[in-house]
Amino acid sequence: MKQVLQSLKDGQTVVVDVPVPAERSGQLLIRTSCSLVSAGTERMLVEFGKGNIVSKARQQPDKVREVFDKMRTDGVSATLDAVRSKLDQPIPLGYCNVGRVVKTGHGVDGFEHGDRVVSNGHHAEFVSVPKNLCAKIPDSVSDESASFTVLSAIGLQGIRLAQPTLGECVVVTGLGLIGLVTVQILRAQGCRVLGIDRDPARLELARRFGAETVNIGAGEDPIIAAQAFSRGAGVDAVLITASTKSNEPVSQAASMSRKRGRIVLIGVTGLELNRADFYEKELSFQVSCSYGPGRYDSAYEDRGQDYPIGFVRWTEQRNFEAVLDLMASGALDVEPLITHRFEVDEGAKAMELLTSEEPSLGIVLRFADNSEDEPEMTRTVSLNPSPEPSAGRVAFIGAGNYAGRVLIPAFQSAGATLDTVVSSGGVSSVHFGKKFAFSNASTDTEAVFENPEIDTVVVATRHDAHAAQVLAALKAGKHLFCEKPLCLTLDELEEIETEARARSEQHLMVGFNRRFAPQVQKMKSLLKSVNKPKS
């Protein structure tokens, strides 16, 4: 399948052939029809990638501190190797996806094969997304309109935090995609809206959606305009959807607010606040987190544990549904926001548009017609010609940092024939597969066990997957190297031990590398005579 990836090292965007993601428990496998480019987030990633190392450091001072901390513990050479490895790995772009469900994982309810859904999946022909990050699309909403759902939910969550009421006057600073959607949702809620921007075309759209506007590019004063707009009382709330390093939007928001007004930051701005501005008016300031409650909570997003509606009315999934209902009713119209359409093959061209001089707003990527009942889903892609079958033909299950930086180079230098590398999403397997000249990249673990030409398997996945994969490899007749730990429970250990003892011709090794470290060896020798518990 085709997927849009971007290099953090040089900012280059490429469309790569990667294997279809593995079906995972609690997730939907979706065939994409279209996706929306998030101009703010994806422009930031492209610009970050194109910057030199000094520019990258300035943009992420927190990461720089982490690098220095790592240098103190791991040394300069190891740290630089880790940084280079991280920047070398491409990242998948996109989080506004629309498509049809082709498979549902174990434990998924409420969705069926063929359902049209929105999700925060990437720009890829197939995406695997947890059920709580998906929502069904009403029949009256087009795929292209639905692709704005996730991005619109970001604006909606900011509005929920501001808690506007009927008739209140609200300022929206920054009229990009999220800002213009926010204007419409506020108008649907019965608020008077004042939009601030410097782009005449965006200001015109805001007026079309029912807002009054201030053109700061033409020298209009937003504070004076807000005073007039609020009839001298000060505005009830300010939603900042702009992206800038300046502190000015927050300072202006404080100046134009009434006493006890609310300010919510949805975008990105400088945050050097003047205490006096907030103290005298008792202003509240809050930063909005993405799509809503549940975001970055692994129990909610990854394990599908929903919050009870009686306690958390609006989760991120329910925010998706609310946005789609607004679209279905006509209260939210995103069609005028689409300025460009590209086929997925032109993904690099679409990303270049973000940093060009050409004006753009909503950029939609279109994928091949997905009306087929049973689309072809390739789980393994060929990277290099396969050499003749030989002893030491190795497959890697798991393609994370440790596998890519330590294990794969070690096996390669030992002369192993690198056959297949597997990862659940497919992106890292293609990356490391190309880097180390594997024959294949895959998301299909079972195919590795079933391949008679592969005689050795390396398990380098998450710890909770080790036991099942070790047993499967042993039963398939493979030699095995398992990165620590071998398993997580004594019952699993007993089952593995029984299987391994019955297969004395097969080698099973666990990578407890710490025991070979010189300092650990020294400690063992010094403590050898101590018969009590040691710590």
Side-chain angles (χ1 to χ4, degrees):
M1 71 170 189
K2 294 171 183 174
Q3 180 161 3
V4 182
L5 304 177
Q6 202 241 328
S7 168
L8 290 179
K9 184 167 66 176
D10 58 15
Q12 182 182 9
T13 303
V14 292
V15 179
V16 177
D17 187 24
V18 303
V20 171
E23 300 111 41
R24 305 183 206 174
S25 176
Q27 298 198 0
L28 306 179
L29 184 63
I30 302 164
R31 189 182 187 197
T32 305
S33 61
C34 65
S35 61
L36 176 71
V37 174
S38 173
T41 300
E42 292 175 65
R43 179 186 294 112
M44 178 184 68
L45 289 171
V46 171
E47 290 176 343
F48 177 83
K50 288 183 176 180
N52 57 32
I53 194 69
V54 175
S55 170
K56 288 179 170 69
R58 285 175 175 167
Q59 291 181 60
Q60 294 199 324
D62 292 343
K63 297 294 184 185
V64 173
R65 283 192 288 272
E66 289 180 18
V67 167
F68 281 116
D69 289 342
K70 187 173 178 64
M71 282 183 178
R72 281 191 284 270
T73 58
D74 295 11
V76 174
S77 178
T79 301
L80 291 178
D81 178 58
V83 171
R84 291 192 189 102
S85 175
K86 194 69 176 176
L87 291 176
D88 189 45
Q89 296 177 42
I91 60 170
L93 293 176
Y95 62 88
C96 300
N97 183 286
V98 169
R100 288 189 181 273
V101 176
V102 292
K103 286 190 178 181
T104 57
H106 175 72
V108 172
D109 52 18
F111 294 94
E112 297 178 355
H113 179 279
D115 284 345
R116 271 195 322 143
V117 294
V118 299
S119 75
N120 75 334
H122 302 304
H123 300 312
E125 286 187 279
F126 291 88
V127 294
S128 183
V129 184
K131 65 178 183 179
N132 281 349
L133 288 167
C134 303
K136 291 182 184 179
I137 303 171
D139 292 341
S140 60
V141 178
S142 70
D143 284 7
E144 286 193 349
S145 292
S147 69
F148 284 76
T149 299
V150 177
L151 185 139
S152 299
I154 297 173
L156 176 57
Q157 174 61 14
I159 292 171
R160 294 202 190 285
L161 294 177
Q163 298 181 325
T165 58
L166 183 70
E168 283 195 317
C169 50
V170 182
V171 171
V172 177
T173 300
L175 298 175
L177 282 178
I178 295 178
L180 289 166
V181 166
T182 301
V183 166
Q184 293 188 67
I185 298 175
L186 285 167
R187 290 292 297 145
Q189 198 160 334
C191 295
R192 298 173 56 234
V193 182
L194 178 68
I196 299 174
D197 205 286
R198 60 177 65 253
D199 186 310
R202 298 181 181 188
L203 290 164
E204 175 56 35
L205 278 170
R207 288 191 290 272
R208 175 176 168 181
F209 296 143
E212 296 182 34
T213 60
V214 179
N215 187 346
I216 55 176
E220 297 178 11
D221 189 321
I223 297 174
I224 293 174
Q227 277 294 103
F229 175 71
S230 64
R231 305 182 183 109
V235 299
D236 297 290
V238 180
L239 302 178
I240 303 172
T241 55
S243 178
T244 175
K245 295 178 181 177
S246 171
N247 302 304
E248 193 66 17
V250 179
S251 177
Q252 287 179 348
S255 298
M256 63 180 63
S257 294
R258 64 167 170 81
K259 189 173 181 66
R260 296 189 176 178
R262 294 97 66 195
I263 302 170
V264 175
L265 176 60
I266 301 172
V268 181
T269 69
L271 287 177
E272 292 182 12
L273 308 181
N274 184 341
R275 178 180 179 275
D277 290 342
F278 287 79
Y279 172 77
E280 293 169 6
K281 292 182 179 178
E282 293 186 322
L283 300 176
S284 67
F285 175 80
Q286 189 166 3
V287 178
S288 178
C289 178
S290 198
Y291 331 135
R295 192 68 178 126
Y296 309 118
D297 177 357
S298 59
Y300 176 89
E301 293 191 334
D302 299 329
R303 298 196 291 277
Q305 297 175 11
D306 200 1
Y307 302 149
I309 195 168
F311 295 91
V312 183
R313 177 61 184 91
W314 295 109
T315 60
E316 49 190 330
Q317 184 184 56
R318 294 194 271 268
N319 274 342
F320 291 173
E321 293 169 346
V323 167
L324 289 165
D325 288 340
L326 285 170
M327 291 178 180
S329 70
L332 177 58
D333 181 12
V334 294
E335 286 289 337
L337 306 182
I338 300 174
T339 58
H340 294 79
R341 294 174 175 87
F342 293 93
E343 302 303 317
V344 65
D345 291 325
E346 302 175 295
K349 186 177 177 182
M351 296 306 157
E352 282 297 319
L353 184 62
L354 296 176
T355 54
S356 72
E357 296 298 321
E358 182 180 345
S360 63
L361 201 55
I363 303 171
V364 173
L365 291 181
R366 298 187 294 199
F367 293 75
D369 175 47
N370 69 356
S371 60
E372 300 174 36
D373 289 337
E374 296 298 333
E376 181 181 355
M377 294 185 286
T378 304
R379 297 282 301 278
T380 300
V381 296
S382 178
L383 302 177
N384 298 288
S386 297
E388 290 299 315
S390 63
R393 199 174 184 88
V394 180
F396 271 76
I397 301 175
N401 282 328
Y402 190 73
R405 289 178 52 215
V406 179
L407 295 180
I408 296 175
F411 275 78
Q412 185 183 55
S413 65
T417 301
L418 301 179
D419 185 282
T420 301
V421 55
V422 179
S423 66
S424 60
V427 174
S428 59
S429 61
V430 168
H431 170 68
F432 287 118
K434 290 180 176 179
K435 183 174 182 178
F436 294 103
F438 279 82
S439 298
N440 306 291
S442 180
T443 57
D444 191 350
T445 304
E446 293 302 318
V448 166
F449 299 143
E450 294 168 3
N451 187 342
E453 295 184 352
I454 295 171
D455 56 60
T456 303
V457 171
V458 178
V459 172
T461 51
R462 291 186 176 184
H463 296 173
D464 61 349
H466 286 191
Q469 291 168 346
V470 166
L471 284 166
L474 287 172
K475 291 174 181 177
K478 313 296 185 186
H479 300 300
L480 189 69
F481 179 96
C482 179
E483 179 47 36
K484 63 183 186 301
L486 182 63
C487 54
L488 297 182
T489 70
L490 291 174
D491 288 341
E492 290 172 343
L493 181 60
E494 184 177 357
E495 189 177 0
I496 291 171
E497 187 175 13
T498 301
E499 193 68 38
R501 285 185 186 278
R503 300 171 178 275
S504 57
E505 74 282 2
Q506 292 171 229
H507 297 295
L508 168 59
M509 181 175 180
V510 184
F512 280 100
N513 58 303
R514 298 294 191 275
R515 68 184 177 189
F516 301 111
Q519 294 297 340
V520 172
Q521 294 294 311
K522 182 70 172 174
M523 284 190 286
K524 284 182 69 176
S525 68
L526 292 172
L527 294 170
K528 190 173 182 179
S529 61
V530 179
N531 295 321
K532 307 179 210 182
K534 318 177 210 358
S535 65

